[in-house]
Amino acid sequence: MTKLVPIGDHVVIKVEKAKETMKSGIVLPDSAKEKPQQGTVMAVGSGVMLDNGTKIPLEVKKGDKVFYSKYSGNEIKLDDEEYVVLSQHDILAIVK
Amino acid sequence: MTKLVPIGDHVVIKVEKAKETMKSGIVLPDSAKEKPQQGTVMAVGSGVMLDNGTKIPLEVKKGDKVFYSKYSGNEIKLDDEEYVVLSQHDILAIVK
Amino acid sequence: MTKLVPIGDHVVIKVEKAKETMKSGIVLPDSAKEKPQQGTVMAVGSGVMLDNGTKIPLEVKKGDKVFYSKYSGNEIKLDDEEYVVLSQHDILAIVK
Amino acid sequence: MTKLVPIGDHVVIKVEKAKETMKSGIVLPDSAKEKPQQGTVMAVGSGVMLDNGTKIPLEVKKGDKVFYSKYSGNEIKLDDEEYVVLSQHDILAIVK
Amino acid sequence: MTKLVPIGDHVVIKVEKAKETMKSGIVLPDSAKEKPQQGTVMAVGSGVMLDNGTKIPLEVKKGDKVFYSKYSGNEIKLDDEEYVVLSQHDILAIVK
Amino acid sequence: MTKLVPIGDHVVIKVEKAKETMKSGIVLPDSAKEKPQQGTVMAVGSGVMLDNGTKIPLEVKKGDKVFYSKYSGNEIKLDDEEYVVLSQHDILAIVK
Amino acid sequence: MTKLVPIGDHVVIKVEKAKETMKSGIVLPDSAKEKPQQGTVMAVGSGVMLDNGTKIPLEVKKGDKVFYSKYSGNEIKLDDEEYVVLSQHDILAIVK
């Protein structure tokens, strides 16, 4: 099966279908502002590079359920699944 | 119960309903400029990352009542509650 | 009494009513450009954070009379008083 | 045969013809947002330069199949082949 | 007499009336571009803060005659005098 | 003969006439996007200055044939020849 | 005679009248893009300040003939001469 491997501080997220209600009953707010998106982390990059070149591992892990801001990142379709690749700082929060 | 865990210098704030008057009688100014919002800190991120990778804890704590600028952050609805996720530098002040 | 506690390099200023003339007779210029505002510092943040995480105390102190640029910061109304929260670098000068 | 040698953190990618379906059957999404492009890495630059002048090798290697955002980089035609030269941070993911 | 004390790398300049011709006969050019302004330095801030927190004194001194770009800084009127508060890097040159 | 000496990370390139086909038969793509330009490096600046003031020599050398993005740099005409002065990071690739 | 003393990485250039042809017969190109300007360096600032506060002397010297981009810097007229004050990185090249 084909795999997407992100680079640096990027993360690959499998996008959750818009109207799916998660077990915890998350209904996206209807406010004028764009609804944040939800999905599951499929792969994380090598980390955040510091000025001296060392890498700090990302805070999110494979399998985390996350919210991320709607217009961040780039969408990719692979084997009929929709993914988005974005930088860790576009992730709003991990749902635990 | 589902929990939102923010990342890095982000903070999760439970939004206070617009017209609720707090014990101290805070009436939001009617000036042309956008009224700042109020709410309570529910969770704080791991801290501000310095150039050398170490993390400095955030100044706000869980339970702090805060003012934050209206158009900062992203709104999330969870179990019928409205939250906003924003960076610490979008918080104007702690109400003590 | 409720208190506003600013964060980092922010400052809370009690706004002086527009047309009040201070003892020294400061009349705001009528130039096309926006007139700077005046007020009194009520509280200062923990300081400016350097790259290595240490904090440098702010130059302005509680009680200083200051000029600040009109469109900087956010207004907050508290117990019928008008405050503005802004960053120290938006303060033009201290009036001594 | 003429060769394109990129500089610093740049990468030369041979562009895959738009409608070619890769072995793994990647069909580009039809979403309103711009479809990411695909191609093969032909050459990589000398690396990312740190503040102290040392160079960190790039994560992508010659021969990697990659996705990159549509409007990044510059197109060059050489010996009837289409290439794009872009910075490593415009590469979304490596396809493995 | 009231004094304006600038902060950090800011400078307080007493504005010279527009058409005053200085002893050296400086006539401001009529080019389409905005004419630079002239004035005298009345007070200088504590200096430019480096990454490590130390302060480097400003190059301009009290009493220097300077040119500065027209649209930089903020105007303040104090005891019938017009001042402008701007950052040192908005000063074009010292007239000696 | 007059010579142009660039400064810092700048490079002087002698512009190749638009329709000249190089030995390797490079025909510039007709895509809507601006065609990259070609030329030969005539002189290189003293290098890239690091935070600590030391200089890192540029990667391109005098005599290199290069592609550079169309709208970068400034054109200069000297002794009937057309040159462009641009920063090294505007150079797409060296043609070898 | 009045002198203009620039600050930091700034340079004072005496502007060469537009159509003057220099000994080397430099005729400014008629391209749509703005023609670069020419002039002679009259004074240089104290240097480029590094993060640690030390100053690196500028590469251009008093007396250098230079090209600079048309819309950079500020014009000043002094004793019937036209000068421009700009930062060293707006200088395209030294003519030798």
Side-chain angles (χ1 to χ4, degrees):
Chain A
M1 202 189 109
T2 322
K3 243 184 24 172
L4 291 174
V5 176
I7 294 174
D9 72 343
H10 280 75
V11 175
V12 174
I13 293 173
K14 197 170 90 178
V15 179
E16 211 186 78
K17 300 292 175 292
K19 266 310 139 217
E20 269 172 47
T21 312
M22 282 166 61
K23 187 180 54 50
S24 63
I26 297 177
V27 176
L28 300 186
D30 211 4
S31 70
K33 284 221 305 186
E34 274 316 317
K35 298 159 203 160
Q37 299 294 96
Q38 291 179 63
T40 306
V41 174
M42 303 307 287
V44 296
S46 54
V48 176
M49 193 198 291
L50 300 182
D51 286 354
N52 61 9
T54 54
K55 289 245 175 150
I56 301 284
L58 300 188
E59 290 194 52
V60 290
K61 301 281 172 286
K62 186 176 176 182
D64 280 346
K65 288 199 177 303
V66 294
F67 276 106
Y68 57 91
S69 23
K70 164 94 177 178
Y71 286 114
S72 49
N74 282 265
E75 289 167 24
I76 291 181
K77 191 160 184 177
L78 195 63
D79 307 340
D80 290 332
E81 285 289 354
E82 297 239 354
Y83 298 94
V84 68
V85 180
L86 43 77
S87 164
Q88 176 176 258
H89 59 66
D90 288 323
I91 292 180
L92 301 178
I94 303 167
V95 185
K96 294 200 172 175
Chain B
M1 201 189 109
T2 320
K3 244 184 21 170
L4 291 173
V5 176
I7 293 174
D9 73 342
H10 280 75
V11 175
V12 174
I13 294 172
K14 197 170 90 178
V15 178
E16 209 187 80
K17 300 292 175 292
K19 266 309 139 218
E20 269 171 48
T21 312
M22 283 167 61
K23 188 179 52 51
S24 63
I26 297 178
V27 175
L28 300 186
D30 210 3
S31 70
K33 281 221 305 186
E34 275 315 316
K35 298 159 203 158
Q37 299 294 96
Q38 291 179 64
T40 305
V41 174
M42 304 306 287
V44 297
S46 54
V48 176
M49 193 198 291
L50 300 181
D51 286 355
N52 61 10
T54 54
K55 289 245 175 150
I56 301 284
L58 299 188
E59 290 194 52
V60 290
K61 300 282 172 288
K62 186 176 176 180
D64 281 347
K65 288 200 177 305
V66 294
F67 276 106
Y68 58 92
S69 24
K70 165 92 177 178
Y71 286 115
S72 48
N74 282 264
E75 288 168 25
I76 291 181
K77 191 159 184 177
L78 195 63
D79 308 342
D80 291 332
E81 286 290 354
E82 297 239 354
Y83 299 94
V84 67
V85 180
L86 43 77
S87 164
Q88 174 176 258
H89 58 68
D90 287 324
I91 291 180
L92 301 178
I94 304 167
V95 184
K96 294 201 170 175
Chain C
M1 202 188 108
T2 321
K3 244 185 18 168
L4 291 174
V5 176
I7 294 174
D9 73 342
H10 280 76
V11 176
V12 174
I13 294 172
K14 197 170 91 179
V15 180
E16 210 185 79
K17 300 294 174 295
K19 266 309 139 217
E20 270 172 48
T21 312
M22 282 166 62
K23 187 178 54 47
S24 63
I26 297 177
V27 176
L28 300 185
D30 210 2
S31 69
K33 283 222 304 186
E34 274 316 317
K35 298 158 202 162
Q37 299 295 96
Q38 292 179 64
T40 306
V41 174
M42 303 305 288
V44 296
S46 54
V48 176
M49 193 198 292
L50 300 181
D51 286 355
N52 61 10
T54 54
K55 289 243 174 152
I56 301 283
L58 299 188
E59 290 193 51
V60 291
K61 300 281 172 288
K62 187 176 175 181
D64 281 346
K65 289 199 176 305
V66 294
F67 276 106
Y68 58 91
S69 25
K70 165 92 178 177
Y71 286 114
S72 48
N74 282 266
E75 288 168 24
I76 292 182
K77 191 159 185 178
L78 195 62
D79 307 341
D80 290 331
E81 285 290 355
E82 297 239 354
Y83 299 94
V84 68
V85 181
L86 42 77
S87 165
Q88 174 176 259
H89 58 69
D90 287 324
I91 292 180
L92 300 178
I94 304 167
V95 184
K96 294 202 172 175
Chain D
M1 201 189 108
T2 321
K3 243 184 24 171
L4 291 174
V5 176
I7 294 175
D9 72 343
H10 281 74
V11 176
V12 173
I13 294 173
K14 197 170 90 177
V15 180
E16 210 187 78
K17 300 294 174 294
K19 266 309 137 220
E20 268 172 51
T21 313
M22 281 167 62
K23 186 178 56 49
S24 63
I26 297 178
V27 176
L28 299 185
D30 211 4
S31 70
K33 284 222 307 187
E34 275 315 319
K35 298 159 202 159
Q37 299 295 96
Q38 292 178 63
T40 306
V41 174
M42 304 305 288
V44 297
S46 54
V48 175
M49 193 198 291
L50 300 181
D51 286 356
N52 62 10
T54 54
K55 290 243 175 154
I56 301 284
L58 299 188
E59 290 195 50
V60 291
K61 301 281 172 287
K62 186 176 176 182
D64 281 346
K65 289 200 177 302
V66 294
F67 276 106
Y68 58 92
S69 24
K70 165 94 177 177
Y71 286 114
S72 48
N74 282 267
E75 288 168 24
I76 292 181
K77 191 160 185 179
L78 195 63
D79 308 340
D80 290 333
E81 285 290 352
E82 296 240 353
Y83 298 94
V84 68
V85 181
L86 42 78
S87 166
Q88 176 176 259
H89 58 66
D90 287 323
I91 292 180
L92 301 179
I94 303 167
V95 184
K96 294 201 172 176
Chain E
M1 200 188 110
T2 320
K3 241 183 24 167
L4 291 173
V5 176
I7 294 174
D9 72 343
H10 280 75
V11 176
V12 174
I13 294 172
K14 197 170 91 177
V15 179
E16 210 186 79
K17 300 295 173 294
K19 268 309 138 218
E20 269 173 48
T21 312
M22 282 167 61
K23 186 179 55 48
S24 63
I26 297 177
V27 176
L28 300 185
D30 210 3
S31 70
K33 284 226 299 188
E34 274 316 317
K35 299 159 200 161
Q37 300 295 97
Q38 293 179 62
T40 305
V41 173
M42 303 306 288
V44 297
S46 54
V48 176
M49 193 198 293
L50 300 181
D51 287 355
N52 61 10
T54 54
K55 289 244 174 153
I56 301 284
L58 299 188
E59 291 194 50
V60 290
K61 300 281 172 287
K62 187 177 175 182
D64 281 346
K65 289 199 176 305
V66 294
F67 276 106
Y68 57 92
S69 24
K70 165 92 178 178
Y71 285 114
S72 49
N74 282 267
E75 289 167 24
I76 290 181
K77 191 159 183 179
L78 195 62
D79 307 341
D80 290 331
E81 285 289 355
E82 296 238 354
Y83 299 94
V84 68
V85 181
L86 42 78
S87 165
Q88 175 177 259
H89 58 68
D90 287 323
I91 292 180
L92 300 178
I94 304 167
V95 184
K96 294 201 172 176
Chain F
M1 201 187 109
T2 321
K3 242 182 26 169
L4 291 174
V5 176
I7 294 175
D9 73 342
H10 280 75
V11 175
V12 174
I13 293 172
K14 196 170 92 176
V15 179
E16 209 186 80
K17 300 294 174 294
K19 268 306 140 224
E20 269 172 49
T21 313
M22 282 168 61
K23 185 177 56 49
S24 64
I26 297 178
V27 176
L28 300 185
D30 210 5
S31 69
K33 284 222 305 187
E34 274 316 318
K35 299 159 202 161
Q37 300 295 97
Q38 293 178 64
T40 306
V41 174
M42 303 306 288
V44 298
S46 56
V48 176
M49 193 199 289
L50 300 181
D51 286 356
N52 62 9
T54 55
K55 290 244 176 151
I56 301 284
L58 299 188
E59 290 195 51
V60 291
K61 301 280 171 288
K62 186 176 175 181
D64 281 347
K65 289 199 177 303
V66 294
F67 276 106
Y68 57 92
S69 23
K70 164 94 177 177
Y71 286 114
S72 48
N74 283 266
E75 288 168 25
I76 291 182
K77 191 159 184 178
L78 194 63
D79 308 339
D80 291 332
E81 285 291 353
E82 296 240 353
Y83 299 94
V84 68
V85 181
L86 43 78
S87 165
Q88 174 176 259
H89 59 67
D90 287 323
I91 291 179
L92 300 178
I94 304 167
V95 184
K96 294 200 172 175
Chain G
M1 201 187 111
T2 320
K3 241 183 23 169
L4 291 174
V5 176
I7 294 175
D9 72 343
H10 280 75
V11 175
V12 174
I13 294 172
K14 196 170 89 176
V15 180
E16 211 186 79
K17 300 295 174 293
K19 269 309 139 220
E20 269 172 49
T21 312
M22 283 167 60
K23 185 179 55 48
S24 63
I26 297 177
V27 176
L28 300 185
D30 209 5
S31 70
K33 284 223 301 187
E34 274 316 317
K35 299 159 201 163
Q37 300 295 98
Q38 293 179 63
T40 305
V41 173
M42 304 306 288
V44 297
S46 55
V48 176
M49 193 199 291
L50 301 181
D51 287 355
N52 62 10
T54 54
K55 290 244 176 153
I56 301 283
L58 299 188
E59 290 194 51
V60 290
K61 301 279 171 288
K62 186 176 175 182
D64 281 346
K65 289 199 176 304
V66 294
F67 276 106
Y68 57 92
S69 25
K70 165 93 177 178
Y71 286 114
S72 49
N74 282 265
E75 289 167 23
I76 292 181
K77 191 159 183 178
L78 195 63
D79 308 340
D80 291 331
E81 285 291 354
E82 296 238 352
Y83 299 94
V84 69
V85 180
L86 42 77
S87 165
Q88 175 177 259
H89 59 67
D90 286 324
I91 292 180
L92 300 178
I94 304 167
V95 184
K96 294 202 171 175

